[in-house]
Amino acid sequence: MRSMNRRYVVLVLLGLGVLFPAASDARIKLAALPQRVEAIIRLDNPDYTLIEEERVLTLQKGLNKVDFAWNGVSIDPDSIRLHILTHPSKVRLLNVSYPPNENALVWEISSAEAEQERVRVSYLLSNIDRLITYKALADKEETKMELKSYLVLRNFSGEDFAKAQVFLDDAQPFERGINHEETQQWLFLGQDQVPFQKIWRWDSLQQVWDPEKVQENVGIPVSYKIKNESASGLGKNTLSAGKVRVYQQDGQGSTILLGEDTAAPVSVGEDMDAYVGDSRDIVVTQRKMVDQTINVRRNTNNSIVLYDKEQQINAQIENFKDTPALLTLVQHMPQEWEMKDCNLKYTRKDAHTLEFEIALAPRSKQELNMHYYQRNIR
Amino acid sequence: MKAIPWSLPLIILWVSAAQAKVDLVSLPARDDVQLTIYNSADLTLVRENRLLTLKEGLNELQFSWANTLIDPTSLEMWPKADAGKIDIAELTYPPRTRNIGLWHIQSALSGQVPVAINYLTSGLSWRAFYLGTLTPDEKAMRLEGYVRVMNNSGEDYENAQVRLIVGKVHMIDDIAELARREYPYGRPGYDGYARQEVDRKEEAPRALMRAFEAVGMDADVLKEAKQIIKEGLSEYFLYTIEGTETIPTGWSKRLPSLEADSVPVVNLYKYEEERYGNFVVRFVSFKNDKQHKLGETPIPDGVIKVFRSVDAVEHLSYEGQANFKYIPVDEEAELNLGEVANVIVKPVMMDFRTQNYLFDNGGNVSGWEEVKEFKVEVKNTRGIPVKVEIQRNFGGTSWKIINSGDSGKYEKIDADTVKYALELPAKSNKEFKYVLTTAYGRRAER
């Protein structure tokens, strides 16, 4: 047994009876500590970590008491389960007792024989968790990337794990040891030649309409988009949420950091977008050219009760780069609208959001003209 | 029975005719004790049997309860034999002493008399909790129920018969408050209770049990976990734990109360923005009936932790936990295991318009219709089939729906809510659309 000032989880086999000492002594625990022979750290639930450990108990014929105690670690006592593995028909767990003012419990076990019994103890352990981080290295042309994903295991649980199988989601388990206050980072996904799209995104609700009217620099957010599918060399599992750092080869044998973002979980078939920074070489200038009230209906008091509006939007889109660019331009529409005329093709994302995918040639300029009615305004 | 100096000693004083001579006799031990523990209130009914040695004439019996949480107004004692010859009519609480009661016993016989003593105490409690283990395909669950009995009463109860009450008992007084009163029934002129501090010792002394001394007592017998006998009583259910239990103060004990293997369960994912926000919430449901290998008694409320067996050797994955309410027989239980990210529901309003305006004589709008077109994408990223229920709430009560896509039929839940039920194979998607037309004002009138 470890010294009392250490954090620990211990399993102690007692004789019959929890030993109540006289007067104010601490509860006495006897016998050798059965060694942990196998441990599993299961991280598939993002909020809770389940530990399963197997130990071999030397049981006496008749009643046995096994003390499971922990100090300096946070275990949910109701989550503790004991599973008899070797002789489930000859060994019975009778009850569980919890001593006062201690992080411990005592299993009372009946055994038909004096024999060694392998048991599995499982419990929810706090302060041991996992993070996922991604590192993407884009080629100089910004068409393909090397994508690496790392599992970061942080063990501040108070418990040392000399060797454990670590399970994460659907992926194959790792075998690792990790001590208290230790953090480990492992590569668990590495994929070369992952195609990606570089996306410039201008949103009429979030970006400045007329950059000339503001003093500070105006940029357009740039993101890298990959698809979690087999064609990308991915698509086997959900990509967990985590921080994404994006680098780029600089063509001189080195790299630069483009930026970093936090990715949400990406299930198979879905896209992962990482916003890396702003571009000042794509400029959008948007103006409302017509805003006219029409079709006015009045009541008998001559008050307006219903009307429409005719509106025209003009956006000038300029690419000052020497390379082509794909701009996603997002327009937010009023509650009830009807398009009269639009010179560019769009996708209706929802009732009030339109997305234009605009391919810009190097050093080119395009124009969006959108003529629509806002209906039934009251 | 061990002698505990600070807990519940009984002292008999034999009083001579002239009240001058007082004889002290040995302490009568408890013969047995029964605890009936409630969980809807901090309340336990203790019944203990003792064998008193009485003399003919007046006997005084002192009962003290320092450092316990006993309600002194609940003390009651009666003879279990020769009732006509023994009169226990008077109980006094002496002045300027605390936690002491004196029974005045008029006995027409001399010798040993069995008596029963009842009192209420606080500090003992119990709660139910459960562990569920889903099969890998999540179609069935092994349900294990436990009761955890906690003793913080200040009194050690050895070899006590333990009974647990499932149900809500109505109480006017708080037993713990009554136990802390300076005077058992208070004092005139005081609305509140004068309280005394409970002089708890830091650590309750306990009997020393030698290691290994009793090993082999039952060595030839493979013991089974104790059964809990359940029976209905009035509006309550009474759980009686087989045999007796020793629960020293400060300790608690977990005992199995329920075990059912292969309980069929429905694994259901729900989406309803008004209740759960923009998240899919996972539910596991089962019915407390015989078809589900349950249904013998109600299931007390508690917390269940749900695991899933992930392989043939029963390694586990933790799925989540839920609180559930008391489940009467034949009632369905639905366990909310919380939000999930592996089943996705994305409803998107794709179009909105108003139409069919009506105007009153003053030219004001008096009726209209709103038309909303929704597209609902449902995705199952899990490796097993799932059932998904999507509830949609409308702003008005006069509406009609036209469906298309994989929705199947919808079920009307109430005046402004419908439910779509979908089944998705493993790792599959479905999509459906509906057009909702809602009438307002005069358009909503029939």
Side-chain angles (χ1 to χ4, degrees), chain A residues 20 42 44 52 76 78 81 92 96 98 100 110 120 268 270 299-300 336 348 351 376, chain B residues 127 133 144 206-208 223-224 252 254 305 313 316-317 349-350 354 362 364 379:
Chain A
F20 300 117
R42 192 171 288 276
D44 49 359
E52 292 181 296
D76 178 346
D78 284 352
R81 305 179 72 167
R92 294 281 185 281
V96 187
Y98 302 84
S110 175
R120 184 184 301 141
V268 173
E270 301 284 311
N299 63 12
T300 52
E336 190 176 346
R348 183 191 286 236
N376 297 319
Chain B
R127 65 179 169 87
T133 309
E144 295 162 88
R206 302 195 184 102
L208 174 64
K223 283 201 163 190
E224 298 291 338
S252 60
R254 181 212 287 195
K305 293 184 190 296
V313 289
L316 300 174
S317 171
M349 186 169 70
M350 296 303 294
T354 57
N364 294 303
K379 191 165 190 171

mmCIF file of all heavy atoms in Angstrom, chain A residues 20 42 44 52 76 78 81 92 96 98 100 110 120 268 270 299-300 336 348 351 376, chain B residues 127 133 144 206-208 223-224 252 254 305 313 316-317 349-350 354 362 364 379:
data_model
loop_
_atom_site.group_PDB
_atom_site.id
_atom_site.type_symbol
_atom_site.label_atom_id
_atom_site.label_comp_id
_atom_site.label_asym_id
_atom_site.label_seq_id
_atom_site.Cartn_x
_atom_site.Cartn_y
_atom_site.Cartn_z
ATOM 1 N N PHE A 20 -12.681 -2.858 12.940
ATOM 2 C CA PHE A 20 -12.957 -1.641 13.689
ATOM 3 C C PHE A 20 -11.948 -1.544 14.812
ATOM 4 O O PHE A 20 -11.966 -2.337 15.733
ATOM 5 C CB PHE A 20 -14.350 -1.696 14.305
ATOM 6 C CG PHE A 20 -15.426 -1.849 13.287
ATOM 7 C CD1 PHE A 20 -16.218 -2.968 13.271
ATOM 8 C CD2 PHE A 20 -15.648 -0.867 12.341
ATOM 9 C CE1 PHE A 20 -17.221 -3.110 12.345
ATOM 10 C CE2 PHE A 20 -16.648 -0.997 11.403
ATOM 11 C CZ PHE A 20 -17.436 -2.130 11.409
ATOM 12 N N ARG A 42 -11.395 4.357 -20.874
ATOM 13 C CA ARG A 42 -12.346 4.485 -21.982
ATOM 14 C C ARG A 42 -12.800 5.943 -22.078
ATOM 15 O O ARG A 42 -13.405 6.482 -21.151
ATOM 16 C CB ARG A 42 -13.543 3.557 -21.762
ATOM 17 C CG ARG A 42 -14.408 3.418 -22.989
ATOM 18 C CD ARG A 42 -15.432 2.326 -22.800
ATOM 19 N NE ARG A 42 -14.846 0.998 -22.836
ATOM 20 C CZ ARG A 42 -14.595 0.315 -23.949
ATOM 21 N NH1 ARG A 42 -14.870 0.834 -25.117
ATOM 22 N NH2 ARG A 42 -14.078 -0.887 -23.886
ATOM 23 N N ASP A 44 -14.617 7.265 -24.704
ATOM 24 C CA ASP A 44 -15.589 7.479 -25.783
ATOM 25 C C ASP A 44 -16.711 8.415 -25.370
ATOM 26 O O ASP A 44 -17.391 8.977 -26.215
ATOM 27 C CB ASP A 44 -16.142 6.148 -26.303
ATOM 28 C CG ASP A 44 -16.614 5.224 -25.200
ATOM 29 O OD1 ASP A 44 -16.496 5.608 -24.019
ATOM 30 O OD2 ASP A 44 -17.098 4.126 -25.508
ATOM 31 N N GLU A 52 -11.683 0.673 -16.312
ATOM 32 C CA GLU A 52 -11.919 -0.740 -16.005
ATOM 33 C C GLU A 52 -10.563 -1.343 -15.669
ATOM 34 O O GLU A 52 -9.629 -1.223 -16.460
ATOM 35 C CB GLU A 52 -12.528 -1.464 -17.195
ATOM 36 C CG GLU A 52 -13.944 -1.028 -17.526
ATOM 37 C CD GLU A 52 -14.498 -1.802 -18.715
ATOM 38 O OE1 GLU A 52 -13.944 -1.660 -19.812
ATOM 39 O OE2 GLU A 52 -15.464 -2.532 -18.530
ATOM 40 N N ASP A 76 -16.757 8.482 -8.633
ATOM 41 C CA ASP A 76 -18.188 8.489 -8.326
ATOM 42 C C ASP A 76 -18.508 7.152 -7.658
ATOM 43 O O ASP A 76 -18.488 6.107 -8.322
ATOM 44 C CB ASP A 76 -18.970 8.669 -9.625
ATOM 45 C CG ASP A 76 -20.466 8.647 -9.410
ATOM 46 O OD1 ASP A 76 -20.918 8.242 -8.321
ATOM 47 O OD2 ASP A 76 -21.200 9.026 -10.340
ATOM 48 N N ASP A 78 -21.146 5.643 -6.690
ATOM 49 C CA ASP A 78 -22.256 4.855 -7.232
ATOM 50 C C ASP A 78 -21.916 4.201 -8.558
ATOM 51 O O ASP A 78 -22.657 3.354 -9.042
ATOM 52 C CB ASP A 78 -23.499 5.742 -7.415
ATOM 53 C CG ASP A 78 -24.194 6.026 -6.097
ATOM 54 O OD1 ASP A 78 -23.807 5.409 -5.082
ATOM 55 O OD2 ASP A 78 -25.122 6.852 -6.082
ATOM 56 N N ARG A 81 -18.375 -0.715 -9.942
ATOM 57 C CA ARG A 81 -18.969 -2.027 -10.186
ATOM 58 C C ARG A 81 -17.887 -3.092 -10.043
ATOM 59 O O ARG A 81 -16.727 -2.863 -10.391
ATOM 60 C CB ARG A 81 -19.557 -2.111 -11.591
ATOM 61 C CG ARG A 81 -20.549 -1.031 -11.885
ATOM 62 C CD ARG A 81 -21.101 -1.112 -13.292
ATOM 63 N NE ARG A 81 -22.014 -2.242 -13.444
ATOM 64 C CZ ARG A 81 -22.828 -2.394 -14.481
ATOM 65 N NH1 ARG A 81 -22.842 -1.503 -15.436
ATOM 66 N NH2 ARG A 81 -23.626 -3.433 -14.563
ATOM 67 N N ARG A 92 -19.925 -14.951 -4.996
ATOM 68 C CA ARG A 92 -21.052 -14.026 -4.942
ATOM 69 C C ARG A 92 -20.644 -12.729 -4.234
ATOM 70 O O ARG A 92 -20.020 -12.776 -3.172
ATOM 71 C CB ARG A 92 -22.211 -14.617 -4.142
ATOM 72 C CG ARG A 92 -22.857 -15.827 -4.754
ATOM 73 C CD ARG A 92 -23.810 -15.434 -5.875
ATOM 74 N NE ARG A 92 -24.504 -16.596 -6.377
ATOM 75 C CZ ARG A 92 -23.974 -17.484 -7.226
ATOM 76 N NH1 ARG A 92 -22.740 -17.318 -7.674
ATOM 77 N NH2 ARG A 92 -24.671 -18.536 -7.629
ATOM 78 N N VAL A 96 -22.307 -4.208 -0.208
ATOM 79 C CA VAL A 96 -21.243 -3.194 -0.225
ATOM 80 C C VAL A 96 -21.466 -2.274 0.967
ATOM 81 O O VAL A 96 -22.585 -1.807 1.186
ATOM 82 C CB VAL A 96 -21.293 -2.357 -1.521
ATOM 83 C CG1 VAL A 96 -20.087 -1.440 -1.610
ATOM 84 C CG2 VAL A 96 -21.393 -3.238 -2.755
ATOM 85 N N TYR A 98 -20.011 1.240 3.123
ATOM 86 C CA TYR A 98 -19.231 2.473 2.953
ATOM 87 C C TYR A 98 -18.838 2.984 4.332
ATOM 88 O O TYR A 98 -19.710 3.368 5.111
ATOM 89 C CB TYR A 98 -20.051 3.531 2.232
ATOM 90 C CG TYR A 98 -20.545 3.110 0.876
ATOM 91 C CD1 TYR A 98 -21.717 2.369 0.740
ATOM 92 C CD2 TYR A 98 -19.844 3.444 -0.273
ATOM 93 C CE1 TYR A 98 -22.175 1.976 -0.513
ATOM 94 C CE2 TYR A 98 -20.296 3.054 -1.530
ATOM 95 C CZ TYR A 98 -21.461 2.321 -1.640
ATOM 96 O OH TYR A 98 -21.908 1.931 -2.876
ATOM 97 N N PRO A 100 -17.437 5.490 7.314
ATOM 98 C CA PRO A 100 -17.635 6.936 7.479
ATOM 99 C C PRO A 100 -16.361 7.720 7.182
ATOM 100 O O PRO A 100 -15.263 7.270 7.485
ATOM 101 C CB PRO A 100 -18.027 7.073 8.954
ATOM 102 C CG PRO A 100 -17.463 5.877 9.615
ATOM 103 C CD PRO A 100 -17.451 4.773 8.590
ATOM 104 N N SER A 110 -18.741 -13.856 -0.970
ATOM 105 C CA SER A 110 -18.793 -15.249 -0.539
ATOM 106 C C SER A 110 -18.170 -16.112 -1.625
ATOM 107 O O SER A 110 -18.472 -15.952 -2.808
ATOM 108 C CB SER A 110 -20.253 -15.661 -0.304
ATOM 109 O OG SER A 110 -20.322 -17.029 -0.009
ATOM 110 N N ARG A 120 -13.039 -7.685 -12.262
ATOM 111 C CA ARG A 120 -12.919 -6.419 -12.985
ATOM 112 C C ARG A 120 -13.658 -5.348 -12.191
ATOM 113 O O ARG A 120 -14.844 -5.516 -11.862
ATOM 114 C CB ARG A 120 -13.514 -6.529 -14.382
ATOM 115 C CG ARG A 120 -13.319 -5.251 -15.213
ATOM 116 C CD ARG A 120 -13.999 -5.361 -16.564
ATOM 117 N NE ARG A 120 -13.486 -6.472 -17.331
ATOM 118 C CZ ARG A 120 -14.237 -7.273 -18.097
ATOM 119 N NH1 ARG A 120 -15.527 -7.059 -18.196
ATOM 120 N NH2 ARG A 120 -13.702 -8.281 -18.765
ATOM 121 N N VAL A 268 -19.069 11.586 -40.597
ATOM 122 C CA VAL A 268 -18.655 11.115 -41.923
ATOM 123 C C VAL A 268 -19.559 11.746 -42.985
ATOM 124 O O VAL A 268 -20.786 11.786 -42.836
ATOM 125 C CB VAL A 268 -18.731 9.579 -41.974
ATOM 126 C CG1 VAL A 268 -18.469 9.074 -43.387
ATOM 127 C CG2 VAL A 268 -17.735 8.980 -40.998
ATOM 128 N N GLU A 270 -19.493 14.916 -43.768
ATOM 129 C CA GLU A 270 -19.648 16.350 -43.501
ATOM 130 C C GLU A 270 -18.322 17.079 -43.740
ATOM 131 O O GLU A 270 -17.269 16.463 -43.860
ATOM 132 C CB GLU A 270 -20.108 16.583 -42.066
ATOM 133 C CG GLU A 270 -21.434 15.925 -41.720
ATOM 134 C CD GLU A 270 -22.621 16.682 -42.309
ATOM 135 O OE1 GLU A 270 -22.677 17.907 -42.132
ATOM 136 O OE2 GLU A 270 -23.454 16.036 -42.972
ATOM 137 N N ASN A 299 -56.038 51.839 -44.836
ATOM 138 C CA ASN A 299 -57.375 51.614 -44.287
ATOM 139 C C ASN A 299 -58.216 52.873 -44.476
ATOM 140 O O ASN A 299 -57.765 53.849 -45.097
ATOM 141 C CB ASN A 299 -57.294 51.172 -42.827
ATOM 142 C CG ASN A 299 -56.680 52.244 -41.936
ATOM 143 O OD1 ASN A 299 -56.514 53.403 -42.360
ATOM 144 N ND2 ASN A 299 -56.344 51.877 -40.706
ATOM 145 N N THR A 300 -59.423 52.864 -43.874
ATOM 146 C CA THR A 300 -60.323 53.996 -44.084
ATOM 147 C C THR A 300 -59.820 55.265 -43.402
ATOM 148 O O THR A 300 -60.298 56.356 -43.680
ATOM 149 C CB THR A 300 -61.723 53.654 -43.568
ATOM 150 O OG1 THR A 300 -61.610 53.192 -42.224
ATOM 151 C CG2 THR A 300 -62.377 52.587 -44.429
ATOM 152 N N GLU A 336 -40.210 38.060 -45.942
ATOM 153 C CA GLU A 336 -40.954 37.537 -47.085
ATOM 154 C C GLU A 336 -40.452 38.258 -48.313
ATOM 155 O O GLU A 336 -40.525 39.487 -48.381
ATOM 156 C CB GLU A 336 -42.454 37.775 -46.865
ATOM 157 C CG GLU A 336 -43.327 37.065 -47.855
ATOM 158 C CD GLU A 336 -44.807 37.251 -47.553
ATOM 159 O OE1 GLU A 336 -45.133 37.706 -46.436
ATOM 160 O OE2 GLU A 336 -45.621 36.971 -48.431
ATOM 161 N N ARG A 348 -30.223 28.495 -52.214
ATOM 162 C CA ARG A 348 -31.023 28.936 -51.067
ATOM 163 C C ARG A 348 -30.667 28.019 -49.881
ATOM 164 O O ARG A 348 -30.995 26.840 -49.878
ATOM 165 C CB ARG A 348 -32.501 28.818 -51.407
ATOM 166 C CG ARG A 348 -33.429 29.316 -50.329
ATOM 167 C CD ARG A 348 -34.860 28.918 -50.642
ATOM 168 N NE ARG A 348 -35.422 29.721 -51.718
ATOM 169 C CZ ARG A 348 -36.548 30.430 -51.584
ATOM 170 N NH1 ARG A 348 -37.201 30.443 -50.444
ATOM 171 N NH2 ARG A 348 -37.024 31.101 -52.599
ATOM 172 N N ALA A 351 -34.799 29.869 -45.705
ATOM 173 C CA ALA A 351 -35.788 30.807 -46.237
ATOM 174 C C ALA A 351 -35.231 32.222 -46.388
ATOM 175 O O ALA A 351 -35.744 33.000 -47.200
ATOM 176 C CB ALA A 351 -37.011 30.829 -45.323
ATOM 177 N N ASN A 376 -45.563 42.100 -48.368
ATOM 178 C CA ASN A 376 -46.510 42.049 -47.233
ATOM 179 C C ASN A 376 -45.911 42.579 -45.936
ATOM 180 O O ASN A 376 -45.908 41.910 -44.901
ATOM 181 C CB ASN A 376 -47.025 40.620 -47.033
ATOM 182 C CG ASN A 376 -47.812 40.140 -48.247
ATOM 183 O OD1 ASN A 376 -48.594 40.898 -48.834
ATOM 184 N ND2 ASN A 376 -47.596 38.895 -48.654
ATOM 185 N N ARG B 127 -31.686 5.503 -0.091
ATOM 186 C CA ARG B 127 -32.035 5.941 -1.431
ATOM 187 C C ARG B 127 -31.817 4.766 -2.373
ATOM 188 O O ARG B 127 -31.031 3.858 -2.088
ATOM 189 C CB ARG B 127 -31.198 7.134 -1.876
ATOM 190 C CG ARG B 127 -29.726 6.873 -2.024
ATOM 191 C CD ARG B 127 -28.995 8.127 -2.506
ATOM 192 N NE ARG B 127 -27.557 7.984 -2.403
ATOM 193 C CZ ARG B 127 -26.796 7.449 -3.351
ATOM 194 N NH1 ARG B 127 -27.355 6.988 -4.451
ATOM 195 N NH2 ARG B 127 -25.491 7.361 -3.194
ATOM 196 N N THR B 133 -27.168 -1.977 -17.906
ATOM 197 C CA THR B 133 -26.152 -2.362 -18.882
ATOM 198 C C THR B 133 -26.847 -2.794 -20.165
ATOM 199 O O THR B 133 -27.526 -3.827 -20.196
ATOM 200 C CB THR B 133 -25.280 -3.517 -18.347
ATOM 201 O OG1 THR B 133 -24.804 -3.165 -17.041
ATOM 202 C CG2 THR B 133 -24.091 -3.764 -19.260
ATOM 203 N N GLU B 144 -30.037 -3.478 -12.711
ATOM 204 C CA GLU B 144 -29.714 -3.830 -11.332
ATOM 205 C C GLU B 144 -30.090 -2.653 -10.443
ATOM 206 O O GLU B 144 -29.640 -1.534 -10.672
ATOM 207 C CB GLU B 144 -28.224 -4.120 -11.191
ATOM 208 C CG GLU B 144 -27.764 -5.332 -11.970
ATOM 209 C CD GLU B 144 -26.261 -5.342 -12.165
ATOM 210 O OE1 GLU B 144 -25.574 -5.865 -11.291
ATOM 211 O OE2 GLU B 144 -25.802 -4.792 -13.184
ATOM 212 N N ARG B 206 -16.055 1.980 18.342
ATOM 213 C CA ARG B 206 -16.609 0.778 17.746
ATOM 214 C C ARG B 206 -15.978 -0.449 18.364
ATOM 215 O O ARG B 206 -14.857 -0.405 18.839
ATOM 216 C CB ARG B 206 -16.334 0.763 16.241
ATOM 217 C CG ARG B 206 -16.896 1.948 15.514
ATOM 218 C CD ARG B 206 -16.904 1.668 14.043
ATOM 219 N NE ARG B 206 -17.375 2.867 13.355
ATOM 220 C CZ ARG B 206 -16.560 3.716 12.741
ATOM 221 N NH1 ARG B 206 -15.278 3.494 12.723
ATOM 222 N NH2 ARG B 206 -17.053 4.762 12.151
ATOM 223 N N ALA B 207 -16.699 -1.523 18.337
ATOM 224 C CA ALA B 207 -16.164 -2.769 18.864
ATOM 225 C C ALA B 207 -15.033 -3.244 17.967
ATOM 226 O O ALA B 207 -15.057 -3.051 16.763
ATOM 227 C CB ALA B 207 -17.255 -3.819 18.909
ATOM 228 N N LEU B 208 -14.055 -3.805 18.544
ATOM 229 C CA LEU B 208 -12.935 -4.338 17.784
ATOM 230 C C LEU B 208 -13.260 -5.767 17.368
ATOM 231 O O LEU B 208 -13.585 -6.608 18.200
ATOM 232 C CB LEU B 208 -11.674 -4.311 18.636
ATOM 233 C CG LEU B 208 -10.447 -4.967 18.021
ATOM 234 C CD1 LEU B 208 -10.017 -4.219 16.772
ATOM 235 C CD2 LEU B 208 -9.318 -5.023 19.021
ATOM 236 N N LYS B 223 -22.707 -18.269 0.096
ATOM 237 C CA LYS B 223 -23.820 -17.377 0.446
ATOM 238 C C LYS B 223 -24.306 -16.632 -0.787
ATOM 239 O O LYS B 223 -23.520 -16.301 -1.662
ATOM 240 C CB LYS B 223 -23.368 -16.380 1.504
ATOM 241 C CG LYS B 223 -23.298 -16.972 2.895
ATOM 242 C CD LYS B 223 -23.355 -15.865 3.921
ATOM 243 C CE LYS B 223 -23.714 -16.409 5.285
ATOM 244 N NZ LYS B 223 -24.014 -15.351 6.237
ATOM 245 N N GLU B 224 -25.588 -16.348 -0.785
ATOM 246 C CA GLU B 224 -26.163 -15.542 -1.841
ATOM 247 C C GLU B 224 -26.444 -14.147 -1.279
ATOM 248 O O GLU B 224 -26.609 -13.979 -0.068
ATOM 249 C CB GLU B 224 -27.474 -16.155 -2.342
ATOM 250 C CG GLU B 224 -27.316 -17.536 -2.962
ATOM 251 C CD GLU B 224 -26.576 -17.508 -4.296
ATOM 252 O OE1 GLU B 224 -26.546 -16.435 -4.937
ATOM 253 O OE2 GLU B 224 -26.016 -18.547 -4.693
ATOM 254 N N SER B 252 -22.542 3.425 5.684
ATOM 255 C CA SER B 252 -23.715 3.147 4.865
ATOM 256 C C SER B 252 -23.497 1.818 4.170
ATOM 257 O O SER B 252 -22.377 1.303 4.123
ATOM 258 C CB SER B 252 -23.964 4.266 3.856
ATOM 259 O OG SER B 252 -22.863 4.405 3.005
ATOM 260 N N ARG B 254 -24.770 -0.741 0.827
ATOM 261 C CA ARG B 254 -25.502 -0.922 -0.431
ATOM 262 C C ARG B 254 -25.947 -2.379 -0.533
ATOM 263 O O ARG B 254 -25.147 -3.291 -0.372
ATOM 264 C CB ARG B 254 -24.584 -0.593 -1.607
ATOM 265 C CG ARG B 254 -25.265 -0.727 -2.950
ATOM 266 C CD ARG B 254 -24.300 -1.164 -4.028
ATOM 267 N NE ARG B 254 -23.372 -0.138 -4.447
ATOM 268 C CZ ARG B 254 -22.640 -0.220 -5.559
ATOM 269 N NH1 ARG B 254 -22.744 -1.263 -6.364
ATOM 270 N NH2 ARG B 254 -21.789 0.723 -5.877
ATOM 271 N N LYS B 305 -27.392 4.879 -13.762
ATOM 272 C CA LYS B 305 -26.234 5.047 -14.640
ATOM 273 C C LYS B 305 -26.313 3.948 -15.690
ATOM 274 O O LYS B 305 -26.451 2.775 -15.347
ATOM 275 C CB LYS B 305 -24.928 4.929 -13.859
ATOM 276 C CG LYS B 305 -24.711 6.072 -12.879
ATOM 277 C CD LYS B 305 -23.363 5.958 -12.209
ATOM 278 C CE LYS B 305 -23.245 6.956 -11.072
ATOM 279 N NZ LYS B 305 -23.293 8.343 -11.504
ATOM 280 N N VAL B 313 -16.869 -10.165 -23.612
ATOM 281 C CA VAL B 313 -16.433 -10.331 -22.222
ATOM 282 C C VAL B 313 -16.901 -9.162 -21.352
ATOM 283 O O VAL B 313 -16.368 -8.900 -20.289
ATOM 284 C CB VAL B 313 -14.900 -10.503 -22.116
ATOM 285 C CG1 VAL B 313 -14.495 -11.849 -22.666
ATOM 286 C CG2 VAL B 313 -14.173 -9.387 -22.854
ATOM 287 N N LEU B 316 -17.190 -2.432 -20.696
ATOM 288 C CA LEU B 316 -18.281 -1.467 -20.660
ATOM 289 C C LEU B 316 -17.899 -0.153 -21.316
ATOM 290 O O LEU B 316 -16.730 0.226 -21.366
ATOM 291 C CB LEU B 316 -18.681 -1.184 -19.207
ATOM 292 C CG LEU B 316 -19.158 -2.377 -18.395
ATOM 293 C CD1 LEU B 316 -19.384 -1.961 -16.947
ATOM 294 C CD2 LEU B 316 -20.440 -2.943 -18.980
ATOM 295 N N SER B 317 -18.944 0.526 -21.783
ATOM 296 C CA SER B 317 -18.806 1.911 -22.200
ATOM 297 C C SER B 317 -19.864 2.675 -21.419
ATOM 298 O O SER B 317 -20.966 2.168 -21.208
ATOM 299 C CB SER B 317 -19.058 2.019 -23.704
ATOM 300 O OG SER B 317 -19.135 3.369 -24.089
ATOM 301 N N MET B 349 -35.984 26.028 -42.354
ATOM 302 C CA MET B 349 -37.109 26.637 -43.057
ATOM 303 C C MET B 349 -36.594 27.153 -44.404
ATOM 304 O O MET B 349 -35.722 28.014 -44.452
ATOM 305 C CB MET B 349 -37.711 27.782 -42.244
ATOM 306 C CG MET B 349 -38.972 28.343 -42.883
ATOM 307 S SD MET B 349 -39.897 29.459 -41.822
ATOM 308 C CE MET B 349 -38.802 30.863 -41.764
ATOM 309 N N MET B 350 -37.141 26.605 -45.467
ATOM 310 C CA MET B 350 -36.627 26.938 -46.797
ATOM 311 C C MET B 350 -37.441 28.036 -47.478
ATOM 312 O O MET B 350 -36.971 28.650 -48.429
ATOM 313 C CB MET B 350 -36.612 25.690 -47.685
ATOM 314 C CG MET B 350 -35.677 24.593 -47.189
ATOM 315 S SD MET B 350 -33.960 25.136 -47.007
ATOM 316 C CE MET B 350 -33.514 25.465 -48.710
ATOM 317 N N THR B 354 -46.674 34.913 -46.916
ATOM 318 C CA THR B 354 -48.033 35.102 -46.403
ATOM 319 C C THR B 354 -48.971 35.198 -47.597
ATOM 320 O O THR B 354 -48.552 35.555 -48.706
ATOM 321 C CB THR B 354 -48.126 36.374 -45.535
ATOM 322 O OG1 THR B 354 -47.707 37.512 -46.319
ATOM 323 C CG2 THR B 354 -47.275 36.269 -44.298
ATOM 324 N N GLY B 362 -63.099 48.515 -42.086
ATOM 325 C CA GLY B 362 -62.260 49.706 -41.946
ATOM 326 C C GLY B 362 -60.999 49.639 -42.793
ATOM 327 O O GLY B 362 -60.150 50.533 -42.713
ATOM 328 N N ASN B 364 -58.628 47.399 -42.437
ATOM 329 C CA ASN B 364 -57.493 46.810 -41.725
ATOM 330 C C ASN B 364 -57.407 45.305 -41.996
ATOM 331 O O ASN B 364 -58.428 44.647 -42.276
ATOM 332 C CB ASN B 364 -57.641 47.035 -40.217
ATOM 333 C CG ASN B 364 -57.536 48.502 -39.862
ATOM 334 O OD1 ASN B 364 -56.540 49.162 -40.168
ATOM 335 N ND2 ASN B 364 -58.587 49.028 -39.247
ATOM 336 N N LYS B 379 -29.699 12.346 -39.689
ATOM 337 C CA LYS B 379 -28.492 11.571 -39.979
ATOM 338 C C LYS B 379 -28.173 10.662 -38.799
ATOM 339 O O LYS B 379 -28.139 11.121 -37.652
ATOM 340 C CB LYS B 379 -27.336 12.546 -40.216
ATOM 341 C CG LYS B 379 -26.107 11.905 -40.765
ATOM 342 C CD LYS B 379 -25.169 12.970 -41.301
ATOM 343 C CE LYS B 379 -24.036 12.341 -42.065
ATOM 344 N NZ LYS B 379 -23.240 13.312 -42.769
#
